[in-house]
Amino acid sequence: MGRASPLVLTLLAFGFFFATYNMVTMIMHNRSIGKWVHDDSDGEIFFDPVIEMPEDVKKPKNAKMPFHVALTATDAPYSKWQCRIMYYWYKKKKDLLGSEMGSFTRILHSGKPDNLMDEIPTFVVDPLPAGLDRGYIVLNRPWAFVQWLEKATIEEEYILMAEPDHIFVDPLPNLARGGLPAAFPFFYIKPAENENIIRKYYPEGKGPVTNVDPIGNSPVIIKKELLEKIAPTWMNVSLKMKNDQETDKAFGWVLEMYAYAVASALHDVQHILRKDFMLQPPWDVAMDKTFIIHYTYGCDYNLKGELTYGKIGEWRFDKRSYLRGPPPRNLPLPPPGVPESVVTLVKMVNEATANLPNWNTE
């Protein structure tokens, strides 16, 4: 199946939902449930609750497989400062041993350039028509990827879908293997527990609901040709889910994540699940071996170093404290006893802000 035509894309943008369920290409159908899998050339073993990695993709890679780093963003101050920190650490890690990170694009879905165009490689795309996202701005993400894939020249064969609140801790290799993308499993994405809703979009004829991976679109490393097939369906399913009252209420702020998981399953694409892809403070406390810090949750502690989640702490770092502008330079470090992951996060934010020019401007 080739790229969607501009006409189809335009119709999709205005909420005309097409039956893409039958327009799928068989990518992989070698599944078994609950298998131990050999994950990479380091010889490590992980438990993958969804798929068993086929023998022909277990073997160590002999050549580099660079991937394009892409993240969608708005022109709001909240998005801008996160993108600047993210891009700073991308540049620091890109050329280190073990990295297969290629070029970088911020896909800006505001419809117009902003003041970071000279600092961060940026591709401007249109937002959804006014009112279509119904206040859920994340719906612009699949539409942004559809436009970018249609219009941009992307040299790499693989793409990493990332987000502004990601910080690269270690050089990131290509975790995908051939037709198998790699993704991070989220504990709160539970297709089997929401089967009655999932079946509205993933009919029984497509297979068991366990074919829907417990993931979102990010972080995911995927072949460009696969993403070109999935992205229009991802957009279609996202909009359809948002327009269904039961689905919207059940999935809330993770609706678009479920939509990507369903869209992938509709195209018979499953993912290698990598728990070491990223960690999420304050819940993940030890650094161990990881590639990305995702600072989506607030970190609140008292001065004894005890977590006070749900209650503003005597010490805190929460990205939502800085909706209207960037955090100040030289944030105070957490009190003794706070987990290594939180300390590392604040140190990495401080290093970036100390070295980025004109930090306090929007």
Side-chain angles (χ1 to χ4, degrees):
M1 185 177 68
R3 294 181 179 179
S5 69
L7 175 60
V8 171
L9 298 181
T10 301
L11 291 174
L12 281 169
F14 283 90
F16 288 81
F17 306 112
F18 290 91
T20 58
Y21 297 157
N22 294 325
M23 298 188 295
V24 297
T25 300
M26 180 64 69
I27 304 301
M28 185 276 294
H29 202 74
N30 178 21
R31 305 186 177 109
S32 55
I33 306 302
K35 298 292 185 179
W36 291 96
V37 298
H38 180 285
D39 212 60
D40 58 22
S41 57
D42 293 331
E44 296 192 28
I45 302 295
F46 294 89
F47 185 75
D48 184 333
V50 178
I51 65 171
E52 180 177 10
M53 190 185 300
E55 290 292 332
D56 62 345
V57 296
K58 290 183 184 179
K59 300 174 183 176
K61 298 173 294 179
N62 295 320
K64 278 198 169 186
M65 297 190 299
F67 55 85
H68 196 105
V69 179
L71 70 154
T72 56
T74 74
D75 60 359
Y78 176 65
S79 180
K80 286 180 180 178
W81 68 256
Q82 292 176 54
C83 288
R84 296 187 75 192
I85 292 173
M86 197 268 199
Y87 185 58
Y88 172 87
W89 284 106
Y90 156 82
K91 291 190 294 181
K92 291 273 287 189
K93 305 297 182 179
K94 177 182 181 294
D95 296 323
L96 298 181
L97 183 65
S99 168
E100 293 181 89
M101 292 188 279
S103 302
F104 186 104
T105 299
R106 178 182 64 134
I107 308 170
L108 181 63
H109 53 76
S110 62
K112 59 184 184 299
D114 65 5
N115 62 340
L116 294 183
M117 303 294 291
D118 293 334
E119 179 177 336
I120 304 174
T122 299
F123 192 94
V124 179
V125 298
D126 293 325
L128 288 168
L132 194 59
D133 65 13
R134 295 170 53 199
Y136 181 54
I137 198 167
V138 184
L139 280 186
N140 285 278
R141 182 176 294 154
W143 175 225
F145 271 107
V146 166
Q147 294 175 83
W148 179 62
L149 291 164
E150 180 75 18
K151 299 175 182 178
T153 300
I154 306 162
E155 299 295 336
E156 294 87 352
E157 186 181 2
Y158 290 83
I159 292 168
L160 164 66
M161 291 187 283
E163 295 183 15
D165 59 355
H166 287 176
I167 292 178
F168 292 107
V169 178
D170 282 327
L172 180 59
N174 189 337
L175 304 177
R177 295 292 184 271
L180 293 175
F184 177 80
F186 289 90
F187 71 90
Y188 50 78
I189 302 297
K190 301 176 179 180
E193 293 185 15
N194 293 280
E195 182 168 4
N196 61 320
I197 295 176
I198 294 293
R199 285 304 187 194
K200 292 184 177 185
Y201 315 96
Y202 188 73
E204 289 188 13
K206 288 297 298 177
V209 75
T210 50
N211 288 350
V212 179
D213 291 335
I215 62 171
N217 84 290
S218 176
V220 166
I221 300 177
I222 185 170
K223 267 193 169 183
K224 179 174 61 177
E225 64 180 315
L226 287 185
L227 187 55
E228 288 170 340
K229 295 171 183 177
I230 293 170
T233 309
W234 172 26
M235 177 186 169
N236 183 20
V237 174
S238 294
L239 291 169
K240 194 172 182 180
M241 284 182 170
K242 188 63 181 175
N243 282 324
D244 181 84
Q245 187 173 3
E246 182 187 22
T247 307
D248 189 24
K249 181 179 179 180
F251 291 165
W253 64 275
V254 297
L255 179 147
E256 168 269 341
M257 298 172 68
Y258 272 102
Y260 174 80
V262 168
S264 298
L266 287 169
H267 287 273
D268 295 289
V269 175
Q270 284 199 289
H271 299 69
I272 303 165
L273 303 182
R274 294 285 303 234
K275 290 186 178 180
D276 62 340
F277 209 151
M278 72 179 187
L279 58 79
Q280 303 183 98
W283 309 117
D284 299 314
V285 297
M287 293 301 296
D288 296 328
K289 180 183 178 183
T290 193
F291 299 106
I292 292 171
I293 289 179
H294 181 211
Y295 56 98
T296 188
Y297 297 104
C299 299
D300 287 276
Y301 292 86
N302 61 29
L303 296 182
K304 298 178 181 179
E306 299 168 334
L307 182 65
T308 62
Y309 194 77
K311 177 183 176 182
I312 294 178
E314 297 172 280
W315 179 93
R316 78 179 327 226
F317 176 75
D318 187 338
K319 66 178 184 178
R320 295 165 189 82
S321 300
Y322 309 104
L323 294 175
R324 298 183 179 181
R329 285 174 164 154
N330 197 28
L331 292 168
L333 293 179
V338 170
E340 179 187 11
S341 62
V342 179
V343 176
T344 301
L345 166 61
V346 177
K347 286 182 176 179
M348 295 186 81
V349 168
N350 280 346
E351 178 180 331
T353 61
N355 288 282
L356 288 167
N358 304 313
W359 176 246
N360 292 323
T361 63
E362 295 186 1

